[in-house]
Amino acid sequence: MLILLQEKRQSNKLAMGKSEKLLLKILRGTSDNDIPFEQLCELLTNLRFEKRIRGSHHIFAKEGIEEILNIQPKGSKAKNYQVKQVREVILKYKLGGQEDNEI
């Protein structure tokens, strides 16, 4: 049982490290064209946004956040203007701190 808990903790650390790297990449704003769509969705979920899907539109909303983020894939990547919108929301509401799911 202890081994399973340790493995789970290690996998969570890896996932958080990946989310942190993606968050930093988004906040830098130097590679908006190179953000994987699925990872962007995962980041928003980690930031406690609620997700619903309508066709290819992935719609994210969060209580206390005025904006609704509507993102779509362009191949396997997120669209650059939508990455910019996500960055603006993260900065405006100061998301990504310890209180936001340890990112």
Side-chain angles (χ1 to χ4, degrees):
M1 185 70 153
L2 181 60
I3 294 172
L4 291 175
L5 289 173
Q6 288 174 340
E7 288 176 4
K8 185 175 182 179
R9 285 183 189 156
Q10 288 176 352
S11 67
N12 285 343
K13 286 180 185 177
L14 290 176
M16 290 312 226
K18 193 177 186 181
S19 291
E20 282 179 355
K21 287 179 185 179
L22 180 63
L23 180 61
L24 290 173
K25 191 175 183 179
I26 290 169
L27 292 176
R28 266 189 242 117
T30 56
S31 53
D32 289 353
N33 289 326
D34 195 34
I35 303 295
F37 179 77
E38 289 301 324
Q39 287 183 21
L40 182 60
C41 290
E42 186 177 313
L43 175 67
L44 290 169
T45 301
N46 288 341
L47 291 172
R48 304 200 190 268
F49 279 81
E50 293 181 25
K51 177 181 180 180
R52 61 188 170 99
I53 301 173
R54 296 279 186 259
S56 66
H57 295 256
H58 294 244
I59 303 159
F60 292 87
K62 182 176 179 174
E63 188 174 326
I65 306 289
E66 184 178 330
E67 296 84 352
I68 294 172
L69 297 168
N70 183 351
I71 62 174
Q72 308 160 261
K74 183 178 182 183
S76 64
K77 305 292 182 184
K79 294 182 178 183
N80 63 343
Y81 74 92
Q82 293 171 343
V83 173
K84 183 179 178 184
Q85 290 172 345
V86 170
R87 178 174 48 255
E88 290 170 355
V89 167
I90 290 170
L91 292 172
K92 179 178 178 180
Y93 295 96
K94 298 179 175 129
L95 302 175
Q98 289 296 327
E99 64 278 4
D100 294 310
N101 201 21
E102 301 174 10
I103 290 183

